[in-house]
Each structure stands twice: as C-alpha cells, then as structure tokens.
Amino acid sequence: MKAKLDALKHQLMISNDLESAAALLFWDQSTYMPPGGATARARQSALLSRMAHETFVDPQVGKLLDELRPYEESLPYDSDDASLIRVARREYERKTQVPADLVAETTSHFYALHGIWAEARPKNDFAAVQPHLEKTLELSKRWAECFPDHDHIADPLISTWDYGMKAESIRQIFSELREALVPLVQAIRNKADIDDSCLEGYFPEALQQDFGLRVIKDFGYDFERGRQDKTAHPYMIKFSLGDVRITTRFNEARLSDALFSTLHESGHAMYEQGINPAYEGTPLAGGTSAGVHESQSRLWENIVGRSRGFWEHYYPILRDTFPEQLQGVDVESFYRAINKVKPSLIRVEADEVTYNLHVMIRFDLELQMLEGKLAIRDLPEAWNARYTSDLGVTPSSNQNGCMQDVHWFDSFIGGAFQGYTLGNIMSAQFYEAALEAHPSLPEDIRYGQFDTLRGWLTEHIYQHGSKYTAPELIERVTGKPLMIAPYIRYLQQKYGELYSL
Ligand code: ZN
C-alpha cells in the first residue's frame, strides 16, 4: 500500500508542478511580460494546463485510487493519508466526468472572450459580447449536465468552488441575510453622509507601498515565502507552499484602494502559507473552498483592518507617512471615512454593508439564466432593474452594469459569486470562535500584535489545507454549522455605533 500511495503522490506532484509552472507564466504575463509575448504565452500556458489535466486524469491515477480504497477505509477519516486519497478521488471524479473536448472548447472560448470583453467594456458595447455570452451560458449548462446527479443545474458549478454547498441552501442563507441587510442599509440611508474626503488627494505610490508592506509584515505574511508586485487587478497566487505571492494596484489619488486590497490579498496568502508543509504538491495543499478562502481575506481586511482598535495603533504611523495629506484629520474621522456606507454601482468598491447585495444580485441572475428564465439579451435590463430596486442606484451604462466583473467573461455563469458572501458570513463566525478562545484579541490588535490571531487561524483553519470540506471545517472550528447570526451581529454592532442607529 505504501508503494501505491507513493506512486499516487508522485503522479499528483507532476500534475501539481505543471499547474504551478502554468501559474508562474500567468503571473509573469500580468506583471512583467512585454506585450509581444502574448501569442506564444497563450500557447505555452494552454500546453502546460492541458498536460497538468491529462496527468491528473490518467487512468493509472484512477486505478491507484481504486486499489487504495481498502487502505483509506482502514484509516481514521481525518488522517493525512485517508484525506489525501479522499480529496484526490473527488478531484479525479470531477475532472474525468467532463469530456476532454468540452474542456478544450470551454478553455479556448474563455480565452477569446476575455479579450473581447476587455475591448468591449470601455466602449460599453454589450452587443459585441452578447453572442459570446450566450455561448458561455450554453457551455455552463453543458458542463453542469456532465454531473447528472444534481438538484439544481447550478449545483455542479457551485460545488466546484464551494464543495458541499448547493443552490437551494445558498438561496436560503442569502434570503435570511437579506432580511437583515435591507433595513440596515435603509436606516443608514436616513442618516447624514460620512465625509470621506480625507482619502482623496495625492498619495505617492512608494509611500503607500511601504505602509501596506509594513502592516502585512506585522500581520505575519512571510516575505521569505512571498512578495508583492503590481498588476491591473490584484490577486494572490501560489507556486508552492514556499512561494505564495500577492499583487496590487496603486491609485495615487485615493489612499484606501491599494491599502485594503493589500490587506485582503495578504489574508488569502497567509492561509496558503499556513498549510501543513507535508501536504506540498498534493491536492490537500490549497485552501478548501472559495468561501473559506474569502473568509480569510475578509477577516484581515475588514474585521481587523477596518476596526477602530487597529487604527488606534496604525493611524499615527500613517499620518507620519502622509503628514500634509492627513493634516487635521484625527483617527476617528479617518476610521469613519474608511467605513462609509453608500450604495454604489461597482461591487469591488462597495462597503461592507452593501457589498453582499451586489453578490446576491449576481447569484440570482445566474440562477435565472441557468434555469432558462432570463435570456442573455435581457440581461442588461434585468441587471439595471435589480440595482434600482435593491440598491437604489441605476447603472448609466453596461460598463458599470452587467459588464463590470470579469467572471462571466472568463469563466462559467454560475459557481463563482456566492463564495464572496459566504466568505463574509464565515469570517464573522470564525472570528467569534477565535475571540471566545482568546478574549484579548481586540487588545492585541490595538497594540499591533497579531500572533495570537494568526496562530489560532493556523491551528484551526490554515494548516488543514483542503483536508476538510467547508461545512466540515466550520463545524469543527465553531462547533456549529454555517450561521449568519455572527455576521449580522458584527455589522449591526459596528455600523449601529458608527451611524448612531
Ligand atoms: Zn478575495
């Protein structure tokens, strides 16, 4: 059995290394590659991705997984070996269920559409993407139909990103959350606007970068195993557990953009850096779901990075960094500015309270499109109607409407958006559990000390990688299933105080 397990690990490691090489090509393309490299790079990336896929779905892997079943069943569920075999089998079954032709067709469709979208979006040209988006919908349905055992056509897509979740359970959670959010947004609307003009001005990039790096170093992001570079859209990317990088973009006219994206991506990265090194190169060596991943980025960005205690420590340092720009702005004004709530059109710029309403709109529209109840040609109108009714703002164009996110233009319709809100919900549930174990956390944060929090997250979440599914992890860590109550408590307490509700 030992030899069979080693053979399995060996094959998985090859697939993993090919995928990491493809990831490195992507990173290079988005950071330093000259434009002339684009054509060859597309070919090289496709080759490596295909080789990684073929190595993983090799019948030899299936045979080894079958032969290892008795060994797996002889071990405790949470042993490393049993978990490795279980998670590898899940991945193998998922990847082998989709015919290779369909994989190739979707890959080339999304590659082409991403370029078409990037060109059409600034021109506000929905007509240019409409037929391609219709193709995306058709491919999404065909892909989902490869998994006939589902209650809702979106389920196979959802479980790819958030294994263990289904359309129906998410619909339920979202509708409960919505019931709490809508009155909160309404109550805040009736209050006077917060003045956030202190965030506008001229903030030199190098100084912004120094400050951001200082904070995430304090958080515990390990620069011996990571680095930060500039890209058009910030992201975290891993090549191995010893090389987990983040990217950001700087807006010299607005202080908060790069700062909070840096904190956000460092949360994703610390999760990956905290995984048990013994899992390197196996399917266990990654965050377990989109939702849990997002819970870690949001926890550091919002629960820590937008808290009053955090800024009691860091604001004097920030003001020393930008003495002229922040002249006359006290810590309380700054704290209020970075937490201003205002319904807006763009999801990625939304505040903590309205953010989830953006996600719910997308999730509902995805389900309607997959169910055949909403045609692509009617999408702009449906989108705008939902923004008007849910957020009270109406997009002036498709550019700041249904063409704003890359998601439906470089991946399927369905599966990707729910993770953002699930992450917000989980972040509060995890933080409450951490706080119960360590009531001193708010004091630590006030002193710029994060070892206790990061240590707790590493022990209970990070180190396990993908060993547990998201529902299993939440149950293990908090003793309860996923619950919205902690998140609602967090929002009501914070914003109730901020807006004197
Ligand atoms: Zn994120």
Side-chain angles (χ1 to χ4, degrees):
M1 280 302 165
K2 177 88 177 66
K4 287 190 199 307
L5 186 63
D6 285 345
L8 177 70
K9 282 186 185 169
H10 178 71
Q11 186 84 0
L12 296 175
M13 178 80 84
I14 296 173
S15 175
N16 169 81
D17 286 351
L18 288 164
E19 228 165 64
S20 299
L24 182 58
L25 291 189
F26 171 80
W27 174 86
D28 173 70
Q29 181 170 7
S30 64
T31 48
Y32 300 107
M33 187 188 82
T39 309
R41 182 55 51 88
R43 193 182 66 234
Q44 294 152 354
S45 303
L47 173 68
L48 286 173
S49 301
R50 200 185 69 227
M51 287 168 70
H53 179 80
E54 284 169 358
T55 310
F56 203 111
V57 301
D58 190 305
Q60 183 60 25
V61 171
K63 190 164 168 277
L64 287 167
L65 287 168
D66 282 343
E67 290 168 353
L68 283 162
R69 202 184 281 272
Y71 174 59
E72 179 195 353
E73 284 166 358
S74 74
L75 297 169
Y77 181 85
D78 61 356
S79 80
D80 283 353
D81 284 356
S83 301
L84 169 67
I85 298 165
R86 181 177 67 247
V87 174
R89 181 179 295 110
R90 195 167 77 211
E91 277 295 286
Y92 179 80
E93 285 170 358
R94 191 171 63 75
K95 287 183 177 180
T96 49
Q97 212 124 341
V98 184
D101 288 352
L102 184 54
V103 173
E105 195 181 346
T106 47
T107 308
S108 64
H109 170 72
F110 289 133
Y111 189 83
L113 179 51
H114 185 274
I116 295 165
W117 167 79
E119 219 171 281
R121 184 175 177 251
K123 295 185 205 149
N124 192 32
D125 188 358
F126 185 76
V129 295
Q130 188 189 316
H132 305 284
L133 210 46
E134 282 163 358
K135 177 83 180 169
T136 299
L137 182 57
E138 184 219 313
L139 288 169
S140 306
K141 287 186 190 169
R142 271 168 61 200
W143 194 92
E145 291 299 351
C146 297
F147 306 83
D149 188 23
H150 59 249
D151 300 327
H152 189 284
I153 180 129
D155 288 352
L157 294 154
I158 290 168
S159 88
T160 301
W161 279 271
D162 286 295
Y163 187 79
M165 302 282 178
K166 289 177 167 220
E168 195 43 50
S169 51
I170 294 167
R171 225 184 320 222
Q172 185 72 32
I173 293 165
F174 281 13
S175 94
E176 278 175 50
L177 180 58
R178 192 186 176 81
E179 266 172 49
L181 283 179
V182 170
L184 182 59
V185 173
Q186 200 48 51
I188 291 171
R189 278 195 141 162
N190 296 332
K191 296 283 177 172
D193 254 4
I194 283 175
D195 175 11
D196 66 345
S197 58
C198 63
L199 303 174
E200 315 276 341
Y202 173 65
F203 302 91
E205 180 180 310
L207 295 176
Q208 288 194 46
Q209 183 166 32
D210 286 351
F211 181 81
L213 293 181
R214 174 186 177 143
V215 174
I216 63 174
K217 199 166 177 220
D218 291 351
F219 278 176
Y221 174 65
D222 180 359
F223 282 89
E224 290 296 310
R225 297 185 292 144
R227 54 178 285 129
Q228 185 188 53
D229 294 271
K230 287 200 290 176
T231 47
H233 302 282
Y235 62 80
M236 179 279 299
I237 196 162
K238 179 187 66 183
F239 309 125
S240 69
L241 294 176
D243 190 352
V244 184
R245 304 187 194 182
I246 57 173
T247 70
T248 194
R249 64 175 164 212
F250 293 96
N251 178 357
E252 291 193 315
R254 194 171 166 88
L255 177 58
S256 44
D257 295 4
L259 173 60
F260 288 105
S261 103
T262 298
L263 307 192
H264 180 98
E265 299 308 330
S266 81
H268 281 302
M270 287 189 286
Y271 185 7
E272 297 283 334
Q273 287 185 335
I275 292 171
N276 183 348
Y279 299 167
E280 179 77 281
T282 76
L284 297 182
T288 192
S289 74
V292 174
H293 234 301
E294 198 64 10
S295 77
Q296 296 313 302
S297 54
R298 292 273 161 180
L299 194 156
W300 288 101
E301 176 195 356
N302 291 332
I303 297 181
V304 176
R306 287 184 207 265
S307 70
R308 190 181 265 119
F310 175 88
W311 286 106
E312 280 173 16
H313 180 77
Y314 284 102
Y315 190 64
I317 303 166
L318 186 71
R319 208 162 45 177
D320 284 348
T321 311
F322 300 107
E324 279 162 37
Q325 296 90 328
L326 295 172
Q327 199 175 24
V329 180
D330 61 14
V331 62
E332 186 61 21
S333 309
F334 182 79
Y335 170 71
R336 294 172 67 79
I338 57 168
N339 286 298
K340 176 179 178 166
V341 176
K342 191 162 179 88
S344 64
L345 294 171
I346 307 292
R347 173 183 64 88
V348 296
E349 292 167 7
D351 57 80
E352 280 185 277
V353 181
T354 60
Y355 184 89
N356 300 294
L357 297 175
H358 292 257
V359 173
M360 289 174 194
I361 291 174
R362 287 153 178 77
F363 181 73
D364 289 346
L365 294 175
E366 284 182 331
L367 295 193
Q368 287 171 25
M369 287 189 278
L370 289 166
E371 289 165 3
K373 290 179 183 156
L374 173 63
I376 298 291
R377 66 171 179 279
D378 300 326
L379 176 63
E381 205 184 317
W383 178 288
N384 294 352
R386 279 295 298 269
Y387 265 79
T388 309
S389 67
D390 290 22
L391 284 150
V393 291
T394 307
S396 56
S397 70
N398 292 318
Q399 190 183 350
N400 57 27
C402 67
M403 289 172 76
Q404 66 180 265
D405 294 303
V406 68
H407 299 62
W408 297 336
F409 303 94
D410 78 346
S411 186
F412 296 111
I413 290 176
F417 278 115
Q418 79 284 332
Y420 294 118
T421 285
L422 292 175
N424 284 329
I425 297 169
M426 289 176 203
S427 70
Q429 192 171 344
F430 287 143
Y431 187 73
E432 266 196 7
L435 200 54
E436 205 173 309
H438 299 286
S440 70
L441 283 178
E443 266 316 287
D444 295 349
I445 293 170
R446 211 181 296 279
Y447 286 100
Q449 303 282 336
F450 306 101
D451 289 356
T452 309
L453 177 58
R454 203 189 63 263
W456 186 91
L457 292 167
T458 304
E459 183 189 342
H460 294 276
I461 300 173
Y462 298 173
Q463 64 157 326
H464 300 304
S466 293
K467 184 189 252 190
Y468 304 110
T469 65
E472 287 170 352
L473 187 72
I474 296 164
E475 191 81 50
R476 275 179 63 96
V477 176
T478 70
K480 299 191 182 82
L482 178 68
M483 295 197 315
I484 60 166
Y487 185 53
I488 293 172
R489 264 198 292 279
Y490 162 74
L491 289 179
Q492 284 177 342
Q493 205 172 347
K494 177 172 175 179
Y495 291 92
E497 188 261 352
L498 202 66
Y499 279 92
S500 319
L501 302 176

